[in-house]
Amino acid sequence: MPEEPYRRRSARVLLLDDTGRLLLFRFLNEQHRPELGHCWITPGGGVNDGEALHEAAVRELWEETGLLVAPEELGPRIAATQGYADLGWAAGLFRDDFFLHRTAGHEVDTSGLEKFESEQITGHRWWTVDELAATAEEIYPLGLAPLLRDLLAHRIPREPVLLPWHK
């Protein structure tokens, strides 16, 4: 079987609360160099060898937010983005797949973050779609506000939407 062309696969979650707000983490652009700024990202992370995308998404959601979701309860895969990146520790073609999940409200618990994550994730907040559309902050994935507007209007894409790459 041919090897997958991606240097890194990530499974991420667009986590919406019962008021339609999206959870994002404040992430340092470069670990140990806060002067280089930050961006906002969705919960999620790398897919382990042999792990299905939806399994990785629920594992990462648990580790990063404390929200336990069974893989079969996870919402649909609704978006993806891919492109080349050189992060120092890895270079090549990266791909992020995004799942939708709604929660009736959740107190975020970041105690399950791995050490390197806890050094780069410096906060979190729930964002409204209007806040996402109006902010000058860096938000990843790109194109999130229009996608979120569609999701909140119950317009779920039949196939995952390809969002622009951000690196």
Side-chain angles (χ1 to χ4, degrees):
M1 184 162 86
E3 186 175 321
E4 191 172 55
Y6 301 109
R7 172 63 176 95
R8 184 170 193 259
R9 290 290 301 261
S10 292
R12 310 195 74 78
V13 179
L14 301 181
L15 184 63
L16 295 173
D17 72 4
D18 52 359
T19 66
R21 297 177 307 163
L22 178 73
L23 179 67
L24 294 176
F25 288 109
R26 187 176 188 266
F27 190 83
L28 293 178
N29 288 331
E30 191 169 316
Q31 190 174 7
H32 307 301
R33 297 198 52 202
E35 70 275 10
L36 296 179
H38 65 273
C39 60
W40 292 89
I41 62 172
T42 63
V47 178
N48 295 329
D49 288 340
E51 189 175 37
L53 283 174
H54 66 284
E55 292 169 344
V58 297
R59 175 184 50 77
E60 289 286 342
L61 192 60
W62 166 250
E63 290 173 2
E64 295 181 355
T65 71
L67 181 62
L68 185 58
V69 175
E72 63 275 7
E73 296 172 342
L74 187 65
R77 187 168 61 95
I78 52 143
T81 185
Q82 66 183 31
Y84 181 83
D86 184 348
L87 303 179
W89 54 269
L93 186 60
F94 284 57
R95 180 178 171 110
D96 296 340
D97 287 272
F98 297 86
F99 292 85
L100 174 64
H101 190 73
R102 296 177 187 263
T103 183
H106 177 67
E107 186 67 34
V108 175
D109 175 5
T110 59
S111 64
L113 292 174
E114 295 182 30
K115 184 179 182 334
F116 76 93
E117 291 172 322
S118 66
E119 292 172 347
Q120 281 195 273
I121 293 174
T122 61
H124 65 272
R125 69 173 272 210
W126 295 90
W127 294 71
T128 67
V129 68
D130 290 337
E131 290 170 334
L132 287 171
T135 188
E137 297 268 355
E138 290 181 60
I139 307 281
Y140 299 125
L142 300 176
L144 192 53
L147 176 61
L148 187 56
R149 281 195 200 287
D150 283 345
L151 297 175
L152 292 172
H154 304 287
R155 292 188 299 265
I156 308 297
R158 291 177 194 234
E159 297 291 324
V161 174
L162 186 59
L163 297 172
W165 184 241
H166 56 271
K167 296 287 180 198

